[in-house]
Amino acid sequence: MATKVAVVTGSNKGIGFAIVRGLCKRFDGVVYLTSRDIGRGKQALADLEKEGLHPKYHQLDVTDKQSLEKFRDYMKSKYSGIDVLVNNAAIAFSNDAPEPVSVQAEQTLFVNYFSLLSTCDILFPLLKNGARVVNLSSALGHLSFIPSKALRDRFKDEKLTISELSSLMQQYVDAAKQGTQVAEWGNSSYVVSKAGVTALSKIQQRLLNDRDIKVNSVHPGYVDTDMTSHKGPLTIDEGASAPLYLALDAPDSVRGQYVWHNSKIVNWESEKLEESI
């Protein structure tokens, strides 16, 4: 019988690390911890081994196509495919970051949306029938944070394609470079990037329905991590709870959904976040 395989991107620390920990405890197969920096990845591996857990490690930089292709080729040569893919790798600028909005927009969208899309383009052909994909979104990825109704309607369009969504993401970056983004898009590149991740997840689900592959996006909660400057009240293991639910426990009927940290399905398209939770 073929070995089952789970992969978590950006998992040397924070929520990704806790997702690997949870998978190691419960997933009936091999779990891959991945990181851009090999030294940090190996240290994370050692930390889990001290807990009696035994993930495998492979270097993976989701912003580097060559790194993604090398990882894909390794997985193809060693296994029959991937059963669980958790797209966790992401960045966020702090509120007092000195970088201009134009730089923050380009870098945030590049990592959080375009690199996640590249990861999926390269690794999705390895997904087995019945596989589960979990894309890490955010409460801030709720559609109500996009001010323009016309834009919200575009995001909600059930005929929206990935190329059209990518074009929307690029339009935001271009507007940010021109300083004209606030009225329609708001003032947070992170919001736009995570709205893009949630919209992408819904499109991906439509494209993969015939293969019984489940794709969902998830808000893990406000977690005590480097990304939140350690302001979040939840532990990383609490933040891993909903992603692990989608990876291991959710009914097969949960697909193309936007799921909250309490594992509740939330209406991503509602006019107000409060109305949907």
Side-chain angles (χ1 to χ4, degrees):
M1 188 174 175
T3 302
K4 288 188 174 183
V5 180
V7 175
V8 185
T9 68
S11 49
N12 63 284
K13 65 177 181 176
I15 297 169
F17 178 83
I19 293 171
V20 170
R21 177 192 275 143
L23 286 169
C24 284
K25 291 178 179 178
R26 295 193 47 222
F27 181 67
D28 181 23
V30 174
V31 181
Y32 270 85
L33 185 154
T34 69
S35 66
R36 182 174 55 182
D37 182 276
I38 294 175
R40 291 176 182 172
K42 291 291 181 68
Q43 182 58 57
L45 200 70
D47 291 342
L48 288 172
E49 286 174 345
K50 289 174 187 173
E51 299 178 22
L53 304 174
H54 302 284
K56 294 186 180 294
Y57 175 75
H58 199 288
Q59 191 274 344
L60 180 61
D61 180 353
V62 299
T63 69
D64 181 346
K65 188 178 179 183
Q66 275 191 312
S67 176
L68 283 162
E69 290 174 343
K70 185 176 179 180
F71 180 70
R72 175 202 62 197
D73 294 345
Y74 171 81
M75 298 301 287
K76 279 177 73 173
S77 69
K78 197 163 179 69
Y79 304 102
S80 60
I82 294 173
D83 299 271
V84 172
L85 174 61
V86 182
N87 286 308
N88 168 74
I91 64 167
F93 284 86
S94 61
N95 291 333
D96 58 355
E99 292 85 354
V101 170
S102 58
V103 172
Q104 292 189 35
E106 188 160 50
Q107 292 186 9
T108 303
L109 272 289
F110 173 60
V111 176
N112 294 4
Y113 174 80
F114 288 105
S115 294
L116 185 150
L117 177 57
S118 295
T119 301
C120 294
D121 286 344
I122 291 169
L123 296 184
F124 269 21
L126 299 185
L127 293 177
K128 298 177 189 173
N129 287 343
R132 293 180 175 221
V133 178
V134 183
N135 293 328
L136 272 286
S137 183
S138 167
L140 295 175
H142 192 271
L143 201 52
S144 62
F145 286 103
I146 303 293
S148 164
K149 183 180 184 302
L151 279 175
R152 294 197 304 273
D153 288 344
R154 287 289 289 134
F155 275 103
K156 289 190 285 188
D157 186 351
E158 290 191 357
K159 295 180 180 178
L160 184 68
T161 66
I162 290 177
S163 63
E164 289 168 345
L165 175 60
S166 295
S167 178
L168 281 175
M169 296 290 97
Q170 187 58 49
Q171 285 174 33
Y172 166 74
V173 174
D174 294 343
K177 288 181 177 179
Q178 295 164 13
T180 60
Q181 83 284 3
V182 174
E184 288 190 317
W185 292 95
N187 58 7
S188 170
S189 297
Y190 188 77
V191 162
V192 176
S193 73
K194 292 302 187 178
V197 167
T198 306
L200 176 64
S201 304
K202 292 180 177 293
I203 299 171
Q204 289 173 332
Q205 182 62 70
R206 293 202 300 269
L207 296 174
L208 291 167
N209 267 335
D210 62 342
R211 293 191 52 204
D212 188 33
I213 292 172
K214 278 70 71 175
V215 184
N216 293 286
S217 60
V218 61
H219 160 51
Y222 194 29
V223 180
D224 179 0
T225 63
D226 289 349
M227 189 179 285
T228 66
S229 301
H230 299 281
K231 295 175 181 175
L234 300 181
T235 67
I236 58 172
D237 290 303
E238 289 171 327
S241 176
L244 287 167
Y245 166 75
L246 289 172
L248 300 173
D249 302 317
D252 284 350
S253 58
V254 178
R255 51 182 73 201
Q257 300 292 350
Y258 174 60
V259 175
W260 216 242
H261 62 89
N262 58 3
S263 301
K264 178 184 175 182
I265 294 172
V266 165
N267 181 1
W268 179 64
E269 300 177 358
S270 62
E271 290 301 309
K272 291 183 179 180
L273 175 60
E274 294 80 7
E275 293 173 355
S276 68
I277 57 177

